[in-house]
Amino acid sequence: MVQQSPVAGTIRKPVNPRVESYKNLWRRLRKNKAAVVGGLLILVFLVAGIIGPYLTTQDPNLPQISIKLQGPSAEHWFGTDNYGRDIFTRIIHGMGITMTVGFFSVALGGIIGVFLGIVSGYYGGKLDTVIMRIMDILLAFPGILLALAIVSVLGGSLTNLIIAVGVFSVPAFARIVRGSTLSVRRLEYIDAVKALGASDARIIFKHILPNVMSPIIVQLTLRIATAVLTASGLSFLGLGAPPPTPEWGAMLSEGRAYMQQAPHLVLFPGLMIVLFVLAFNIFGDGLRDALDPKMNK
């Protein structure tokens, strides 16, 4: 609707509430300097992971024994490993693998967890009890041990690693979404929509899901950091991507035997894992504060 300005002869443009809410979110988010730094780091990782492999000139898996265990230099920025492979090239190629595992595993866990959480919170009763008890059983296991057990059964591969990390992410999403759904379900407008004859599917996807998206988005961001850390740990134990895949956790595992002779073999992959996890954690914390109305009063 077009609104007329108090000044005669001028017309104010209509305000889109959704666009305005995004602008307000950005204004609140950019006040958090740590979150901005985290967001910039994530952007750098994304760009490097997507276009970086096309800019590197060396083969990440080609051994060159004659130059093995060389330190950082102008030719090899991060040095070479015990097979003479360029560590910088392997880290750049491994960035895409790390992001693939993190994003796809969290997406898998998020889809299943959100569905179970909404169904459990909306319908309640025995269905709620059964779903939540299953989630409690999964939560009783430490995440890394649960993922370790799944990978041990399925076998070590990148696909199985994504499945394992995704499964242990399900309970966190389910419990958060269930709590939010219980709150939204009690609102009066939900009763009004029911009275008008709306189906359960319409109520869930059109009225409940949009109102529980804030905690889902925050959980997705924070969970990526946990997923990458868990995936790197499993690869370090030899249960992730098979060699010679340049996965950061596997690179740490290969380099631990040369820590005293060539510490750069573990320094740079370990540093990348720390930066990646830190970036998503501080950005997720800032996003949580920006989306929480109680933090912005």
Side-chain angles (χ1 to χ4, degrees):
M1 179 178 181
V2 178
Q3 300 178 352
Q4 187 157 358
S5 172
V7 181
T10 62
I11 298 178
R12 189 190 309 168
K13 291 184 178 180
V15 177
N16 188 325
R18 180 170 297 180
V19 173
E20 195 65 24
S21 67
Y22 290 148
K23 290 181 179 179
N24 291 333
L25 174 62
W26 167 243
R27 280 194 290 266
R28 294 192 297 267
L29 186 61
R30 69 183 181 183
K31 291 179 182 178
N32 189 325
K33 303 303 181 184
V36 172
V37 172
L40 290 176
L41 279 175
I42 292 172
L43 184 61
V44 170
F45 281 123
L46 286 172
V47 173
I50 294 172
I51 69 173
Y54 298 101
L55 302 179
T56 55
T57 57
Q58 302 190 48
D59 189 331
N61 299 320
L62 179 65
Q64 302 179 65
I65 303 300
S66 60
I67 58 171
K68 69 176 183 178
L69 300 179
Q70 289 189 359
S73 63
E75 185 178 359
H76 303 284
W77 293 355
F78 291 175
T80 60
D81 64 7
N82 53 309
Y83 292 104
R85 299 171 298 192
D86 184 69
I87 294 178
F88 177 78
T89 301
R90 287 177 62 78
I91 284 178
I92 293 297
H93 282 261
M95 201 170 292
I97 297 173
T98 299
M99 289 190 298
T100 298
V101 172
F103 293 156
F104 278 90
S105 61
V106 172
L108 175 64
I111 292 172
I112 298 174
V114 168
F115 173 77
L116 293 177
I118 286 185
V119 169
S120 178
Y122 182 77
Y123 290 103
K126 293 183 179 179
L127 182 60
D128 178 32
T129 301
V130 171
I131 293 176
M132 285 301 103
R133 294 302 74 80
I134 294 175
M135 296 301 106
D136 289 340
I137 292 173
L138 293 178
L139 285 172
F141 295 92
I144 184 69
L145 291 182
L146 179 61
L148 181 62
I150 295 172
V151 171
S152 299
V153 172
L154 298 179
S157 71
L158 199 60
T159 301
N160 293 341
L161 185 63
I162 292 173
I163 294 173
V165 178
V167 169
F168 103 83
S169 299
V170 169
F173 283 100
R175 294 186 70 87
I176 288 175
V177 174
R178 173 184 177 271
S180 300
T181 302
L182 289 173
S183 300
V184 175
R185 191 186 65 174
R186 298 189 184 101
L187 298 178
E188 293 181 356
Y189 84 94
I190 297 294
D191 294 332
V193 172
K194 284 183 179 180
L196 291 174
S199 64
D200 289 343
R202 181 179 178 84
I203 294 173
I204 289 173
F205 289 104
K206 189 177 175 88
H207 300 284
I208 293 182
L209 184 58
N211 285 284
V212 300
M213 282 303 298
S214 293
I216 293 174
I217 293 172
V218 173
Q219 184 65 15
L220 280 170
T221 307
L222 295 173
R223 205 68 190 177
I224 288 175
T226 305
V228 167
L229 198 59
T230 303
S232 298
L234 292 174
S235 295
F236 182 84
L237 296 174
L239 295 173
T245 306
E247 202 278 332
W248 294 345
M251 292 173 66
L252 274 177
S253 180
E254 291 177 0
R256 60 180 171 172
Y258 304 91
M259 287 182 64
Q260 294 183 349
Q261 181 182 359
H264 63 275
L265 266 67
V266 296
L267 172 63
F268 294 110
L271 183 61
M272 297 306 295
I273 294 173
V274 170
L275 288 176
F276 194 93
V277 172
L278 181 64
F280 275 94
N281 274 332
I282 61 178
F283 180 74
D285 286 339
L287 191 61
R288 177 178 56 197
D289 294 343
L291 289 170
D292 188 354
K294 296 179 182 178
M295 300 291 293
N296 300 290
K297 289 184 178 180

